[in-house]
Amino acid sequence: MGVVRVEIRKFDGSAHRAFPATLLGRDEHGTWLGIPSGTVSDTGKVYEIPGVVLVPHTGWWTAMFNAAPRNTSLYCDITTPATWNDDTVTVTDLDLDVRKIRLTGEVQLVDEDEFAVHQAKFGYPEEVVKQARDAAQWLLEAVRTNQEPFTTHFHRWLAHVSP
């Protein structure tokens, strides 16, 4: 298991956030990265609750599965497809997010206002807007209908970083 640097950028190329993660493995869903408790991002944020990030082989999203007691059991960022360069994975955050609330199971699409603002500010091309919206709708449906890896599959990976 090696360390992978996760870099999340904004559409203009500026840094949004970055953090180290542990490469846990790969499967049919993508690459699984562990974020143990105490992980510190470049912005100084400390991840108090462990989680795992799934970087899909293809797709305009990434997913973070959080251990309890975090309020969101699942938080998916709509992003450009990931690019890998040695031990660094980079995505561009496109603002829209899909999350699942732990206690209620409610699945929500959030940050549509931020998406609209940044669409104008950064001049998202029409194809980027379409891909972002399509990814958000696909994720909403996949999570709401309990498709894998969003239901139980992630537990085996989360067990590597959560007591």
Side-chain angles (χ1 to χ4, degrees):
M1 288 193 236
V3 175
V4 172
R5 179 174 168 80
V6 178
E7 292 185 352
I8 303 168
R9 302 200 166 278
K10 284 300 187 182
F11 198 76
D12 66 353
S14 63
H16 180 49
R17 69 181 177 276
F19 53 88
T22 304
L23 176 61
L24 300 175
R26 293 178 176 87
D27 65 15
E28 68 274 19
H29 300 289
T31 301
W32 293 87
L33 305 172
I35 303 173
S37 295
T39 299
V40 181
S41 77
D42 63 334
T43 62
K45 174 187 175 174
V46 177
Y47 290 85
E48 301 290 341
I49 298 170
V52 290
V53 172
L54 170 59
V55 180
H57 296 299
T58 60
W60 287 67
W61 57 275
T62 59
M64 181 151 184
F65 300 87
N66 299 303
R70 181 130 184 195
N71 183 45
T72 53
S73 58
L74 170 65
Y75 201 96
C76 300
D77 285 308
I78 305 304
T79 68
T80 58
T83 58
W84 290 86
N85 184 7
D86 297 324
D87 59 355
T88 300
V89 61
T90 304
V91 296
T92 298
D93 182 10
L94 297 173
D95 315 305
L96 292 174
D97 302 300
V98 172
R99 66 184 181 189
K100 184 173 183 178
I101 305 303
R102 182 175 306 283
L103 292 178
T104 64
E106 180 184 3
V107 180
Q108 306 168 334
L109 176 64
V110 295
D111 295 336
E112 290 185 87
D113 53 343
E114 186 180 349
F115 181 68
V117 167
H118 286 165
Q119 189 176 343
K121 178 180 177 180
F122 296 128
Y124 293 170
E126 188 175 308
E127 181 62 18
V128 169
V129 172
K130 179 187 180 324
Q131 292 288 350
R133 291 205 178 280
D134 288 353
Q137 288 307 309
W138 180 84
L139 281 164
L140 283 167
E141 178 70 14
V143 176
R144 285 181 177 147
T145 60
N146 297 315
Q147 294 179 36
E148 293 297 1
F150 306 109
T151 304
T152 60
H153 181 83
F154 67 91
H155 289 291
R156 72 177 272 224
W157 299 103
L158 190 55
H160 290 279
V161 293
S162 182

